[in-house]
Amino acid sequence: MFQKGLKDVVAVQTKIASVDGEKGELRYRGSLVEEAVQDKSFEETAYFLWHGEFPTEEQAYELNRQFIKYRTLPAHVAKVAEELPVNVPLMDNMRTLMSAYYDGEYVTLSPSEQAIALTSALSVMTAMLYRLQNGYEIIHPNDGFGHVANYLWMLLGEEPAAAHIEALETYLKLTMEHGMNASTFAARVTVSTESDMVAAVTSALGTMKGPLHGGAPSGVITLLNEISTADDIDSVISSKLEAGEKIMGFGHRIYRTEDPRSILLRGKCLELQGSDPWLDLAVVAEKRIIQLLNEQKPGRALYTNVEFYAAAIMRSIDMPPALFTPTFSIARIVGWTAHTIEQQQDNVIFRPQSIYVGN
């Protein structure tokens, strides 16, 4: 059977996550994502995807200790970071630096400990490379912060606002895993050759870089900047619809109803109402844009996707577009490593066939 792009071809059985586009459901380890991530930290949610259960109090303490430990990069990795060219895309340097992450201690770790090390390290690499590329002084990790707060600290060089930590952590928890997407498939194919987790993550980063997969929600940022205030929503959206332009942040290739991740991000923005004007604008704009879409495009049933609120969160933090896909990656690495571990536990090398169509 030939299926271009392997669309809808089942190649893997997994216990990690499932996506039901018709019902608008995303499940982590069988639990609806809205239930799985509620009142959980980034670290606890990652542990759940890796192990299928949440950590006990003692395990959570050890987990947090390990996340902090692996913020310190091997000396040769930090040295490589300072030697990389600053005029290439950040995702390219992240991929290069990840491929260098290997030392005597790392190879002795269990697969789950390797997953913690690489997840913790990637956020540090991202912040370090970003600051080097922009001529800023490197900010060292702060052991007093959790994973997400430390990432913002290393990027900004100042203590991040609580509202920004909450909003970004919610986004990162919701984008850790999303089924057999392109980068996750790349990770599983790589490790199916009995290669290692570093190689799998490096492959995934190379795949995530592509605009058809990990492309940044810059179009939504542009939209929010054009709207600027609630009073301008109608005029901006109506003019775009009259011109036949796509309204960025609405519609999804998988979900035929509301993206469950956007529902949760909207809820978080409502919780934080009044703490940031861009988060407030996103909530108001979403409601009015859907009304206008229903009026002017009846029957289309276009709903907000996760990129709409992701863009609002990034905009509220003043995160430049160059950091959007890298930030997405520091969440999705949890899924990549979970799938790598699962592939290693019941491995068969991927070897699809091709049909020759030449002369």
Side-chain angles (χ1 to χ4, degrees), residues 122-333:
L122 185 61
S123 67
V124 174
M125 293 177 187
T126 304
M128 179 184 293
L129 290 168
Y130 170 74
R131 293 190 69 85
L132 286 169
Q133 284 190 337
N134 288 276
Y136 304 144
E137 181 182 354
I138 293 174
I139 303 297
H140 295 289
N142 186 325
D143 291 354
F145 288 141
H147 183 71
V148 177
N150 182 68
Y151 175 59
L152 288 175
W153 159 259
M154 292 188 68
L155 282 178
L156 306 173
E158 61 185 24
E159 186 169 348
H164 293 161
I165 297 170
E166 278 193 58
L168 183 61
E169 185 157 26
T170 301
Y171 166 67
L172 295 180
K173 290 187 295 183
L174 293 172
T175 51
M176 286 180 175
E177 167 61 12
H178 204 247
M180 196 50 54
N181 54 80
S183 57
T184 297
F185 183 57
R188 290 193 77 133
V189 169
T190 298
V191 82
S192 80
T193 68
E194 295 190 355
S195 190
D196 53 83
M197 192 178 291
V198 167
V201 171
T202 303
S203 295
L205 284 168
T207 307
M208 180 69 97
K209 178 191 172 186
L212 291 183
H213 180 33
S218 54
V220 185
I221 290 286
T222 301
L223 177 66
L224 291 174
N225 284 336
E226 286 182 52
I227 292 172
S228 187
T229 69
D231 293 337
D232 294 329
I233 297 172
D234 282 33
S235 60
V236 170
I237 300 303
S238 294
S239 65
K240 287 183 177 296
L241 291 175
E242 289 169 9
E245 294 182 32
K246 181 181 178 181
I247 307 301
M248 303 303 292
F250 291 80
H252 195 280
R253 68 183 300 271
I254 294 177
Y255 293 112
R256 296 295 174 261
T257 181
E258 281 196 271
D259 184 333
R261 299 167 299 176
S262 69
I263 295 172
L264 293 174
L265 287 173
R266 179 198 307 131
K268 177 56 65 175
C269 289
L270 285 169
E271 283 181 32
L272 300 172
Q273 198 163 26
S275 62
D276 185 277
W278 286 101
L279 299 181
D280 292 348
L281 176 64
V283 173
V284 175
E286 179 202 24
K287 183 177 180 179
R288 183 55 184 153
I289 290 170
I290 289 176
Q291 290 174 342
L292 292 170
L293 287 170
N294 287 337
E295 291 170 7
Q296 299 188 40
K297 291 183 177 290
R300 291 288 301 277
L302 293 172
Y303 298 99
T304 321
N305 60 45
V306 71
E307 285 191 352
F308 181 83
Y309 278 104
I313 290 167
M314 304 301 186
R315 183 65 183 81
S316 73
I317 302 171
D318 287 329
M319 190 175 284
L323 276 167
F324 290 174
T325 305
T327 301
F328 183 9
S329 300
I330 71 169
R332 189 53 60 83
I333 189 176

Side-chain angles (χ1 to χ4, degrees), residues 42-196:
F42 178 99
E43 294 90 333
E44 290 170 321
T45 307
Y47 187 98
F48 181 59
L49 283 171
W50 289 325
H51 296 279
E53 59 185 12
F54 287 103
T56 63
E57 186 175 340
E58 183 177 341
Q59 289 168 333
Y61 176 84
E62 176 61 18
L63 176 68
N64 292 331
R65 188 193 67 80
Q66 289 180 310
F67 261 90
I68 291 170
K69 174 183 176 180
Y70 293 114
R71 289 174 188 170
T72 301
L73 302 180
H76 73 277
V77 176
K79 185 175 181 180
V80 170
E82 296 182 355
E83 296 297 325
L84 290 173
V86 298
N87 59 344
V88 299
L90 182 55
M91 286 293 291
D92 288 327
N93 280 347
M94 288 168 62
R95 181 186 61 206
T96 299
L97 205 56
M98 176 56 68
S99 69
Y101 193 97
Y102 222 78
D103 64 12
E105 179 187 6
Y106 172 80
V107 297
T108 67
L109 301 178
S110 68
S112 61
E113 290 173 321
Q114 289 182 357
I116 296 170
L118 298 186
T119 300
S120 180
L122 185 61
S123 67
V124 174
M125 293 177 187
T126 304
M128 179 184 293
L129 290 168
Y130 170 74
R131 293 190 69 85
L132 286 169
Q133 284 190 337
N134 288 276
Y136 304 144
E137 181 182 354
I138 293 174
I139 303 297
H140 295 289
N142 186 325
D143 291 354
F145 288 141
H147 183 71
V148 177
N150 182 68
Y151 175 59
L152 288 175
W153 159 259
M154 292 188 68
L155 282 178
L156 306 173
E158 61 185 24
E159 186 169 348
H164 293 161
I165 297 170
E166 278 193 58
L168 183 61
E169 185 157 26
T170 301
Y171 166 67
L172 295 180
K173 290 187 295 183
L174 293 172
T175 51
M176 286 180 175
E177 167 61 12
H178 204 247
M180 196 50 54
N181 54 80
S183 57
T184 297
F185 183 57
R188 290 193 77 133
V189 169
T190 298
V191 82
S192 80
T193 68
E194 295 190 355
S195 190
D196 53 83

